[in-house]
């Protein structure tokens, strides 16, 4: 039987049928032939046929300007799919903004193609090549994805720019909210599509290129060729992902400004009720025996932050007290020992450098290695408690991705609202991946959507 519009979608996505596969079923079929089809291949064939050497020289020169020679030589070790993407992306740049030497004269490629000496082009093909030259390569946040249909993009530099819905089928299958992509947005009739070249970034590399672009825009915002400079920055950062070892970021604690050092003090519990009573009499401690405790402080910026988290241990007679900096750990150890010495016995201190953890992330041959051997439902409950505590004040905390606005402040504009939704979707996508890897039920973020009164 065909599901009704409000029934759960039979594909298993968890969405209503009207918000999922019904959209795809009702979507008009993509035309087999479009007016601009063949524009890029026609332009490339024409250029290579008449100016093969000049095109090769221009391509090699572009590559040299994007990568140091010591790294450019490593491109040959990449797989065929990646090398093909490099060829496509850099060639499109030449069509849109490049120059070649023709009979001793430097000719701007788009002007040459569209001039009287250029190839014979249909009206739609000519329009496509003109758009390539007019629409700059920009970096976008992916805030929503409808697999096989479309995605919503927000410009990372222009915070007030309206979100853009882009019709894209194949590319959306590998994307999730929270990703960063560089692309040119092309108008086709009443909608937008990608030009063809796409620069996808890993989570770590994406934030690094966002920072580079913002610094470049602040320093060179007065220059007329800023768009070209930003585009070159995106291409260079994209290529570096494949051949340059990524630098590990230096993590700083937002409250104290200290370098982060993950410190965990392990204790054996002698008297659980005595421990609970001692913590219950601390006005700056919240929590209980079922979910653990947090020691909170009021910061100068008006935010409430945790300086110590007391988690139930992997064994029934153990607890773990977690701190984010060395100073917090040293002061916290003295505070906790004085408070709970009659109920606990100190066992050991464990310290981890976040850089080292990130450097070794993903090297374990077993997915989810090191996870406690807990019932999946119990593990999900533990994660849900931790997530709810971590996001307790989320709606009113300044967030860098929102230009240091709180979610409540950002959502006052249409562009800001889409970015807030994008953040929530990225949290959900990350949780879905982690839950799948750990073999546990997924924790719902519906409580955050409800907190700010926003629907999906």
């Amino acid at each position: 039987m065909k599901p009704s519009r409000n029934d759960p979608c039979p594909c298993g996505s968890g969405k209503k049928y009207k918000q999922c596969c019904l959209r795809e079923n009702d979507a008009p079929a993509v035309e087999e032939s479009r007016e601009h089809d063949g524009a890029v291949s026609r332009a490339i064939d024409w250029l290579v046929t008449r100016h093969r050497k000049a095109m090769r020289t221009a391509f090699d020169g572009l590559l040299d300007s994007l990568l140091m020679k010591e790294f450019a030589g490593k491109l040959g070790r990449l797989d065929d799919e990646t090398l093909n993407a490099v060829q496509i992306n850099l060639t499109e740049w030449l069509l849109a903004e490049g120059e070649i030497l023709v009979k001793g004269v430097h000719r701007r490629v788009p002007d040459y193609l569209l001039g009287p000496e250029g190839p014979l082009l249909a009206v739609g093909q000519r329009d496509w090549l003109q758009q390539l030259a007019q629409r700059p390569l920009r970096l976008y946040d992916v805030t929503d994805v409808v697999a096989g249909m479309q995605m919503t993009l927000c410009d990372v530099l222009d915070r007030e720019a309206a979100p853009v819905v882009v019709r894209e089928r194949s590319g959306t299958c590998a994307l999730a909210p929270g990703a960063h992509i560089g692309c040119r947005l092309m108008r086709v009739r009443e909608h937008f599509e990608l030009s063809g070249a796409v620069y996808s970034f890993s989570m770590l590399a994406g934030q690094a290129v966002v920072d580079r672009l913002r610094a470049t825009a602040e320093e060179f915002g007065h220059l007329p060729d800023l768009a070209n400079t930003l585009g070159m920055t995106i291409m260079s950062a994209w290529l570096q992902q494949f051949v340059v070892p990524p630098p590990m970021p230096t993590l700083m604690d937002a409250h104290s400004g200290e370098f982060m050092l993950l410190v965990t003090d392990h204790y054996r519990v002698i008297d659980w009720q005595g421990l609970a009573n001692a913590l219950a009499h601390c006005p700056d401690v919240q929590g209980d025996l079922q979910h653990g405790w947090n020691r909170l402080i009021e910061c100068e910026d008006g935010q409430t932050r945790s300086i110590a988290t007391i988690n139930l241990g992997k064994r029934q007679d153990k607890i773990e007290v977690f701190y984010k900096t060395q100073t917090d750990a040293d002061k916290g150890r003295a505070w906790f020992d004085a408070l709970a010495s009659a109920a606990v016995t100190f066992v050991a201190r464990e310290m981890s450098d976040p850089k080292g953890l990130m450097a070794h992330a993903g090297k374990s041959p077993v997915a989810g290695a090191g996870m406690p051997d807990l019932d999946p439902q119990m593990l999900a409950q533990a994660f849900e408690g931790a997530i709810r505590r971590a996001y307790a004040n989320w709606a009113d905390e300044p967030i860098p991705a929102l230009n240091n606005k709180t979610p409540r402040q950002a959502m006052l504009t249409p562009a800001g609202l889409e970015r807030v939704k994008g953040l929530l979707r990225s949290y959900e996508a990350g949780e879905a991946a982690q839950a799948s890897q750990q073999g546990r039920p997924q924790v719902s973020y519906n409580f955050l959507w409800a907190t700010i009164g926003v629907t999906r």
Side-chain angles (χ1 to χ4, degrees), residues 112-436:
Y112 188 31
L113 287 170
L114 298 170
E117 303 172 75
L120 182 63
L121 299 166
V123 174
Q125 294 175 332
R126 177 173 293 274
D127 176 70
W128 187 264
L129 294 177
Q130 285 177 332
Q131 283 199 64
L132 274 183
Q134 295 166 356
R135 297 184 178 274
L137 174 60
R138 305 277 294 183
L139 189 71
Y140 298 91
D141 291 311
V142 179
T143 59
D144 193 19
V145 175
V146 181
M149 290 185 63
Q150 65 185 41
M151 57 185 168
T152 304
L153 304 179
C154 289
D155 194 303
V156 300
L157 293 183
D158 188 351
R159 294 292 186 176
E160 302 306 318
V164 180
V165 177
V166 179
R167 185 179 296 179
E168 172 64 24
R169 294 185 178 272
S170 60
T172 53
C173 298
L175 286 176
H180 293 96
I181 64 169
C183 59
R184 298 177 196 269
L185 301 184
M186 310 285 280
R187 179 171 287 281
V188 180
R189 295 188 179 89
E190 301 302 321
H191 67 269
F192 286 96
E193 297 183 10
L194 302 181
S195 64
V198 178
Y199 302 81
S200 300
F201 291 92
S202 66
M203 193 66 72
L204 182 61
Q207 188 54 53
V209 73
V210 169
D211 294 339
R212 284 178 60 185
L213 290 172
R214 288 178 180 161
T216 300
E218 290 178 5
E219 185 175 357
F220 302 106
H222 61 287
L223 297 179
D225 62 344
L226 176 63
N228 179 280
T229 301
L230 295 176
M232 293 287 285
T233 300
I234 293 170
M235 288 197 298
S236 178
W238 178 73
L239 284 170
Q240 288 179 32
Q241 290 182 117
F242 305 117
V243 295
V244 181
M248 290 296 105
T250 298
L251 301 182
M252 309 293 290
D253 177 52
H255 164 57
S256 64
E258 291 187 48
F259 293 107
M260 287 188 67
L261 182 67
L262 310 183
V263 181
T264 303
D265 286 341
H266 298 268
Y267 291 85
R268 184 168 63 86
V269 181
I270 303 170
D271 180 2
W272 280 104
Q273 194 56 53
L275 173 64
N277 292 338
L279 292 170
H281 286 87
C282 292
D284 58 351
V285 173
Q286 295 182 358
D288 53 42
L289 270 171
Q290 183 179 0
H291 300 103
W293 297 265
N294 262 312
R295 187 185 184 196
L296 307 174
I297 60 168
E298 295 290 337
C299 302
E300 294 179 358
D301 60 3
Q303 303 302 313
T304 300
R305 292 185 172 90
S306 173
I307 56 171
T309 302
I310 305 169
N311 299 310
L312 306 183
K314 298 179 178 67
R315 292 173 51 182
Q316 292 184 352
D317 62 339
K318 296 291 179 63
I319 59 169
E320 301 169 351
V321 187
F322 171 75
Y323 310 94
K324 292 183 290 185
T325 71
Q326 183 72 63
T327 299
D328 284 348
D330 293 341
K331 291 182 178 179
R333 168 79 186 278
W335 163 79
F336 188 73
D337 286 354
L339 175 74
S341 58
V344 301
T345 300
F346 178 77
V347 175
R349 167 166 287 188
E350 177 185 357
M351 294 189 292
S352 300
D353 179 2
K355 280 191 176 183
L357 291 176
M358 287 188 293
H360 291 86
K363 293 186 178 180
S364 173
V366 181
M371 291 302 301
D373 186 17
L374 295 178
D375 176 79
Q377 293 291 342
M378 293 179 60
L379 190 57
Q381 291 176 9
F383 271 88
E384 181 172 9
I387 288 172
R388 285 182 175 270
R389 289 194 298 272
Y391 289 98
N393 303 305
W394 176 82
D396 300 299
E397 290 183 341
I399 296 178
L402 300 177
N403 203 23
N404 290 320
K405 294 180 180 179
T406 69
R408 292 193 200 277
Q409 292 170 337
M411 59 189 284
L412 296 178
T413 66
L417 176 60
E418 179 58 34
R419 293 177 188 278
V420 171
K421 289 183 177 181
L423 270 182
L424 290 172
R425 294 178 188 123
S426 71
Y427 300 160
E428 291 177 325
E431 165 60 14
Q434 189 176 44
S436 175

